[in-house]
Amino acid sequence: MTLAEATEGTCCHVSALDASGRCAGRMAELGILPGTPIRVLRQSLFGSAMLVRVRDFSLSLRRDEAALVRIATAVDGDG
Amino acid sequence: MVDIALAGNPNTGKTTLFNLLTGSRARVGNYPGVTVERRSGVRQVGDQTWHLHDLPGCYSLLALSPEEEIATLALTGGWEQPRPACVIVVLDASSLARGLALLLQIRSLQLPCVAALNLMDQAAAQGLTLDVPALQRALGVPLVPMVAARGEGVAALEQAVTATLAASGPQPPLQPPLAWPPALAQGLAAVRTIPALASRCGSEGEAWFWLASEPVVTERLVPGVDAAIAAATGAGTDRRAALRVDAAAARFAWIDMLLEQAIRRGPARPSGSEAIDRWALHPIAGPALFLLVMAALFQAVFAGVGPAVDAIDAVMAALGDIVGAALPAGLFHDVVVDGVLAGVGATLVFVPQIAVLFLGLALLEDSGYLARAALLTDRLLGRAGLPGTAFVPLLSSFACNVPGILAARTLASPADRLVTILLAPLMSCAARLPVYALVTAAVFADTPKVWGVLAPGGLWILAMYALGLALALALGALLRRTVARGARSPLLLELPPYRTPQARDVALVVWRKVRQFCVETGSLIVALTVILWALMTFPRATPPAAELDRWRQQAAAAAVASDPGAGAAEDARATGVAAAVAHRADAYALEHSAAGAIGKAVEPLIAPLGFDWRIGIGLVGSFAAREVLIPVLGRVYGRGEEEADDEAYQGEVGASLVRVSGMTPLVGVALMIFFAVAMQCMSTVAVIRRETGTWRWALGALVMFNALAWVLAWGARQLGLALGWS
């Protein structure tokens, strides 16, 4: 499952980052890396954006950016 | 003179610290070889003079936008220039992780660093306790806790920087050392063997920069290097992108371990920001709040500045009188008073509006709301192919297109920058408003109110703004599909916690932007006003004596008719007659000048729009500054010359437009549409040339917008005529 599909309120962690994505490098440098906890604050904001809490700050990103992030929730171990 | 750079993530209070250290003595200059402003200031510390440079905020040295690139170039010396003697890396104590990642990047360039641990009050408010000595030991860099907004920690910072500048010897290593994965370590070693990079890979950080950067960046710096890197490392672009992620992972693993030990978190406190965002980002309340904020901003910009503008007009008038009296009559006198001073006045009269708009923007940014606004507009601007962050340049353009265009530097994608720059002129700037006001007062004053409340004139003005916005969206979409293809800038937008704006920082930002406007745009407006004055003065023409007599008789008769009382002073009446004759002689001279000839020459071109040669002269004048249309028209109609925003004068000019040039409501609308769309401001053309690097886009925009303005004005007139208007 990718971050783009996660529902509001989901607490999960990153299982993989698709490095071939255009902004993958910048997302990694913001701290979105395998093992990082992420909390989905808002989904489908104004149609196309979502808001997440990663490490110690709030980040808004578009669906196509979020689609680069594979996640795993605490319940199921594989993304 | 020691060069010290201030670097750090955005939203860390870096500029607050810079302002604190340098005060209003900061100057805006240019980076060598790059026409981008840099903020530099001076601070005297002991017997040293520190030359402080406030670098743009960045999340990584691998830059996403031209703004971020400035930070990278300044810290790496652009590979040609000397590097700063010390770097103050500003960190947000309440949000340390990615700030430390940047610190590690900068440190790995072997640059002497001091970390300013700012926003300690925010950290305390969130219940965080930091073990500063432990952090300092691990990072091998002095760490100075500060609250820049309150001025706390400056002395300690000075001490730390002085000690770092005096220190010699290698940098203390990280404790524990950073562990690169083997593939990455090999790649870094391979890059350092490349001959072309021999002088630029003195440190591991620099090797990382060349390995992890995208080919488009490295090729621009050293042509042909991409192939060399691929050969030396055996890794293609994809593999290197993966290595970039691995490097970030290694840094964050180290940081996570450190923060685990060095930060104690108190019980989780509810965040005020999240509560506010429940409304600010609510699907319905959010946009409503946004529109309210925008409405308040525009109301302040356009309605609230009256007294300030009046004051400036009064000062300029007085200055004109003083200088005019001081200089002997003649050519030089006219150039100075009617050319230079008029140009200065035309610039200064918009300073209140520009100042208020930048004040509003600074408050929005400092408070943290601007990021929410960018998030809100991301989808709408996406229709024009632009990211939500293009909202700031476009909004700034409503005061003046020039600073709006300059603000496009913050956008990551070159295609986005180009489109934003080309759409900025469609945002109706402050100079168009007097023209709209003139026209609507002249032709819509007597039209009955819509629904009994709404003045049609005001609605038409609103329509012009809406027209600009609608055209911008359509044109943006078109441009993005044709000449400006390329990926859209990513969103990846940090939403900082809401904070109270700092009065001093806001004031300084407004002061700097206003000063930049006056100096850069102002000098061009003055130059153009002088040229315009020359066009309107030469060749000189005096009316024949017979005409002068006729006018004198007409004026005398009019004076008697309007004030037949025997008690009216003969002197006053004679002065009035002389003034009227002088104005008409002036109109005659204007008609026979070069400007008049141009106006008559373009009349066939603008006649289909319902404009005559008099309006044509006015249009020629508006190329210096749009609002100059009004005093030029005033002279053409023999009303003399007053300030563009003088309401009584506007009324007279408007009346003449109707009576003499035959302006009907339909023609008035056509004129407004023309002003809304046409590119008349040479300052805008000049800044487009500067920002895009070639004349192609500037001249292309000039031709396109003027042609479009003509077509739309003509179309509107045809539509009106078909609907039975006149």
Side-chain angles (χ1 to χ4, degrees), chain A residues 17 19-20 22-34 36 39 41-42 45-51 53 55-62 65, chain B residues 59-60 62 64 68 95-98 105 241-242 244-245 248-249 252 256 274 277 281-282 287 375-376 378-379 387 487-495:
Chain A
L17 182 66
S20 66
R22 260 192 63 246
C23 34
R26 174 49 63 97
M27 288 171 80
E29 278 145 18
L30 286 171
I32 300 175
L33 291 159
T36 308
R39 180 159 63 102
L41 296 176
R42 304 288 280 280
L45 265 176
F46 313 115
S48 61
M50 56 186 300
L51 190 62
R53 186 96 188 149
R55 291 182 187 275
D56 36 22
F57 69 104
S58 299
L59 184 72
S60 65
L61 55 164
R62 299 189 190 121
E65 292 155 6
Chain B
Y59 290 105
S60 163
L62 301 181
L64 217 52
E68 284 191 333
S95 176
L96 262 183
R98 61 200 147 85
Q105 286 186 7
R244 176 176 169 180
V245 173
F252 274 99
D256 285 342
E274 272 186 45
D277 276 338
L281 297 177
H282 186 270
L375 178 52
L376 269 153
D378 189 56
R379 186 150 185 232
R488 190 166 153 213
S489 307
L491 184 59
L492 292 183
L493 185 65
E494 180 198 349
L495 256 53

Side-chain angles (χ1 to χ4, degrees), chain B residues 502-524:
Chain B
Q502 299 295 313
R504 176 215 209 138
D505 294 334
V506 167
L508 281 172
V509 133
V510 173
W511 163 242
R512 286 178 196 143
K513 290 236 151 91
V514 166
R515 192 175 57 192
Q516 182 184 34
F517 167 75
C518 288
V519 168
E520 293 182 11
T521 311
S523 41
L524 190 53

